Amino acid sequence: MEMTLRWYGPGFDPVSLDQLRQIPGLHGVITSLMAKQPGEIWALEEINGLKAEVEAKGLKIFGIESVNISDDIKIGNGKRDEHIENYIKTLENIGKADIHMICYNFMPVFDWTRTDLARVRKDNSTVMAYNQDLIDTIDPADLRGSMEKMANGFTLVGWEPERLAKLKELFEAYKDVDQEKLFNNLVYFLEAIADVCAKYDIKMAIHPDDPAWPIFGLPRIVKNKDDIVKLLKAVDKPHNGITLCTGSLGTNPNNDICEIINAAKGRIPFAHIRNLKYNSPRDFEEAAHLSADGSMDMYKIMKALHDSGFDGVIRPDHGRMIWGEVAVPGYGLYDRALGACYLNGLWEAICKNEA
């Protein structure tokens, strides 16, 4: 198991590599070229430049999150094949740079949705939260403005202003894309990139929908065990895997995370581990990674991963904002560092108990 943290890269992340390298047990980072737009080719020189910056601090890039997939590919319009060819060239360059895992998503319009980026908890920490009753009353365009105001001046991945400036057009473009069509377009994409993934041993780890149900009338196709099994069978090749995101799958309390781990055994190259607290079936907030702080059993989840033979990359996911830190919502240094140490402690205890 390789413990990492997400790092947005120079100019985008207030957390430095010097700070990250001081976290005990941290082996490297998951990062990205944040300035690249969906459909663009990532040049080998750009990737190697990012890699050199990380390695100069004694760390390693264990994966990319994300090489964003354009809406043209998701919708299946006339630019789809051109953008897939660009994606293949990007994967080739990533493979040449000796990076072998990509976390991506296939969510229409919004990569993830929250109604609050700084809900205040009893200890005065703040967390990202979601309330379906509020979602039911608002227009998506209003949500965009609200997210921008709550972002502390940072760019939110999946809510980039260049893309969301075309929100009305995006909804119009997706109007004839139902769940079946979106799924078929995903399969088409995965089949098209199969050869380059095989050549460079690149694992594509799809991120589950967040939240794990349809919103604003948009389809969702990676929201539960049945969806995941269906996708893994539809493209039954080593490069087609999942990102086990406990926070995204866990938004629906009916999802049994350990059952999903067993169903996807051998096809989980990447794991996002975080905790949630359910306030009601329609309201949840993110929590500290410690099991007792939320509604999820982190020990049980980590043991299920261990027992499944997981030997991939892991990172603590969204953290609370604590100790007065100002950072990208969910991606401050302090609580994620606590989460990394906690998860490493669980893993050590599980391994030693098995010995």
Side-chain angles (χ1 to χ4, degrees), residues 10 17 28 33 39 43 48 105 110-111 123 133 141 147 196 214 243:
L17 292 171
L33 292 175
N48 280 335
N105 77 75
F110 303 117
D111 285 5
D123 60 2
D133 292 336
M147 292 285 279
V196 70
T243 295

Side-chain angles (χ1 to χ4, degrees), residues 12 32-43 46-47 66-68 90 160 162:
F12 290 93
S32 185
L33 292 175
M34 287 283 290
K36 304 299 284 189
Q37 297 300 308
E40 291 183 347
I41 298 171
W42 292 26
E46 295 173 303
I47 300 165
S66 300
V67 181
N68 288 323
T90 293
E160 293 83 0
E162 302 87 354

Side-chain angles (χ1 to χ4, degrees), residues 37-38 71 74 107-114 117 139-149 151 154-171 174 216 218:
Q37 297 300 308
D71 291 295
K74 296 175 186 177
M107 288 178 258
V109 185
F110 303 117
D111 285 5
W112 53 277
T113 307
R114 294 292 182 271
L117 300 185
D139 184 282
D142 295 333
L143 180 61
R144 170 202 168 192
S146 175
M147 292 285 279
E148 289 176 346
K149 289 178 182 177
F154 296 105
T155 298
L156 298 174
V157 174
W159 292 79
E160 293 83 0
E162 302 87 354
R163 184 161 167 269
L164 294 185
K166 305 174 182 177
L167 199 61
K168 184 177 179 180
E169 293 93 328
L170 278 174
F171 269 87
Y174 275 102
F216 300 124
L218 298 167

Side-chain angles (χ1 to χ4, degrees), residues 180-332:
E180 181 181 6
K181 184 173 182 180
L182 188 65
F183 180 83
N184 290 338
N185 289 342
L186 172 56
V187 170
Y188 183 95
F189 165 74
L190 288 170
E191 293 285 5
I193 65 172
D195 289 345
V196 70
C197 288
K199 180 178 180 180
Y200 291 100
D201 187 29
I202 294 173
K203 301 293 191 296
M204 297 295 296
I206 192 166
H207 191 284
D209 302 322
D210 189 356
W213 55 78
I215 60 169
F216 300 124
L218 298 167
R220 298 292 212 195
I221 56 172
V222 193
K223 57 190 180 300
N224 54 39
K225 185 186 81 170
D226 289 345
D227 288 349
I228 289 169
V229 170
K230 179 182 178 182
L231 178 60
L232 296 180
K233 287 182 176 179
V235 185
D236 194 8
K237 298 178 181 179
H239 76 283
N240 179 29
I242 70 163
T243 295
L244 181 85
C245 182
T246 62
S248 298
L249 291 167
T251 58
N252 183 348
N254 294 322
N255 279 336
D256 186 323
I257 304 297
C258 296
E259 190 177 87
I260 291 171
I261 291 170
N262 292 328
K265 182 178 179 179
R267 305 283 288 276
I268 306 175
F270 190 30
H272 292 177
I273 306 297
R274 60 181 162 96
N275 201 355
L276 293 176
K277 179 177 175 57
Y278 307 122
N279 297 311
S280 77
R282 297 171 64 86
D283 182 290
F284 64 82
E285 61 190 49
E286 296 175 359
H289 288 77
L290 181 72
S291 296
D293 194 61
S295 303
M296 306 179 77
D297 189 330
M298 294 292 105
Y299 174 84
K300 186 177 178 181
I301 289 169
M302 291 291 281
K303 189 170 190 311
L305 265 181
H306 174 274
D307 293 350
S308 75
F310 175 78
D311 61 355
V313 180
I314 194 170
R315 72 169 175 82
D317 207 359
H318 306 164
R320 302 167 299 153
M321 285 298 171
I322 60 175
W323 305 335
E325 186 176 21
V326 177
V328 179
Y331 285 95

Side-chain angles (χ1 to χ4, degrees), residues 39-161:
E40 291 183 347
I41 298 171
W42 292 26
L44 180 57
E45 294 78 11
E46 295 173 303
I47 300 165
N48 280 335
L50 182 64
K51 184 180 176 184
E53 184 164 354
V54 171
E55 291 181 349
K57 299 298 183 179
L59 298 169
K60 177 180 177 180
I61 295 177
F62 280 97
I64 300 295
E65 186 179 345
S66 300
V67 181
N68 288 323
I69 296 175
S70 71
D71 291 295
D72 302 279
I73 294 174
K74 296 175 186 177
I75 294 165
N77 68 17
K79 288 188 176 181
R80 169 171 66 175
D81 290 339
E82 175 190 340
H83 284 186
I84 289 177
E85 283 303 312
N86 289 350
Y87 206 99
I88 288 170
K89 291 173 184 175
T90 293
L91 289 177
E92 185 172 23
N93 289 334
I94 288 172
K96 287 178 179 178
D98 197 27
I99 299 170
H100 303 282
M101 191 273 292
I102 308 291
C103 173
Y104 71 104
N105 77 75
F106 221 74
M107 288 178 258
V109 185
F110 303 117
D111 285 5
W112 53 277
T113 307
R114 294 292 182 271
T115 52
D116 196 335
L117 300 185
R119 181 183 287 181
V120 180
R121 306 187 80 206
K122 290 181 179 179
D123 60 2
N124 281 334
S125 65
T126 63
V127 294
M128 297 198 290
Y130 182 93
N131 186 296
Q132 186 63 46
D133 292 336
L134 181 57
I135 288 290
D136 290 344
T137 67
I138 63 176
D139 184 282
D142 295 333
L143 180 61
R144 170 202 168 192
S146 175
M147 292 285 279
E148 289 176 346
K149 289 178 182 177
M150 295 187 291
N152 294 332
F154 296 105
T155 298
L156 298 174
V157 174
W159 292 79
E160 293 83 0

